[in-house]
Amino acid sequence: MAKVYEFLANGFEEVEALAPVDILRRGGVEVKTISVTGNHLVESSHGVTIKADLLFEEISNFSDVDLLMLPGGMPGSKNLNEHEGVRKALKEQFESGKRVAAICAAPLVLASVGLLKGKKATIYPGMESYLGDDAEYTGALVQEDGNVTTGGGPAASFPYAYKLLSYFIPQEKVEEIQKGMIYDRLISSK
């Protein structure tokens, strides 16, 4: 079974954090939320408090994790970027060829660590400068480039999560989950 960790800092965006966790778990992926606050309770950017599965300090290493992901939100993304343990884990994950993902404002963390050099990426509109000169901003809802996946904001949460799920289960299973969540009706209502 694939294993995914999602880092949570105070100020995270709720939809971007929880929709991917929900969708990945529906697909049979083991997902753990990891608080970087020193407390299991983490407060979102809109005042919703959730209980993380683990504290960052409880993890001895990340070598058995298939994907590390970051939700956006402010000041959550800034708080993740200031956490040296998160920065180190992301860099090691990326350098080992494993997947990293970030949505909304959180791609700024990937850029800050140097993981977007020469990559196509997206970020919340208006935050393009945070990607730096080394990344190519695409403005897509979801952008994949090698082992890096980025999403553009709250509305991207579902397609972003389904893209992440597609790395671990066959596409036909992803489509079954989309149908069960009536995602197909959302897309066809354009």
Side-chain angles (χ1 to χ4, degrees):
M1 179 188 302
K3 186 185 227 180
V4 175
Y5 284 170
E6 178 180 62
F7 296 120
L8 296 176
N10 286 324
F12 71 90
E13 207 289 327
E14 303 87 343
V15 173
E16 297 161 359
L18 298 178
V21 169
D22 176 81
I23 288 168
L24 288 165
R25 286 182 179 174
R26 286 175 192 249
V29 176
E30 179 187 350
V31 182
K32 298 291 184 192
T33 54
I34 313 300
S35 170
V36 303
T37 68
N39 188 322
H40 280 94
L41 299 178
V42 187
E43 187 175 339
S44 76
S45 58
H46 299 103
V48 177
T49 300
I50 70 162
K51 183 178 180 188
D53 298 311
L54 298 166
L55 298 176
F56 187 90
E57 297 78 14
E58 295 174 321
I59 302 165
S60 57
N61 74 63
F62 296 90
S63 63
D64 63 341
V65 178
D66 299 291
L67 167 69
L68 293 178
M69 63 182 182
L70 308 174
M74 281 298 200
S77 296
K78 179 180 169 283
N79 291 336
L80 288 171
N81 197 37
E82 292 173 354
H83 192 281
E84 285 305 317
V86 168
R87 293 171 59 83
K88 181 179 182 221
L90 287 168
K91 188 169 179 145
E92 289 174 358
Q93 180 85 357
F94 176 82
E95 289 175 350
S96 70
K98 294 182 183 177
R99 296 193 172 279
V100 295
I103 189 168
C104 193
L108 73 84
V109 182
L110 302 181
S112 174
V113 179
L115 307 188
L116 298 182
K117 289 181 180 171
K119 299 274 187 194
K120 291 181 179 179
T122 194
I123 194 167
Y124 189 79
M127 298 190 73
E128 299 86 355
S129 65
Y130 287 94
L131 295 178
D133 295 332
D134 296 328
E136 179 186 338
Y137 172 70
T138 66
L141 271 179
V142 179
Q143 182 63 58
E144 173 187 44
D145 191 342
N147 59 338
V148 177
T149 306
T150 50
S157 296
F158 276 74
Y160 169 82
Y162 291 128
K163 173 53 84 177
L164 298 179
L165 182 58
S166 75
Y167 301 143
F168 306 116
I169 68 172
Q171 185 60 36
E172 56 270 12
K173 295 290 186 187
V174 173
E175 290 169 7
E176 285 177 23
I177 292 168
Q178 288 174 330
K179 186 174 181 181
M181 295 180 73
I182 65 168
Y183 180 72
D184 56 330
R185 291 177 62 189
L186 174 67
I187 296 307
S188 66
S189 69
K190 290 182 182 178

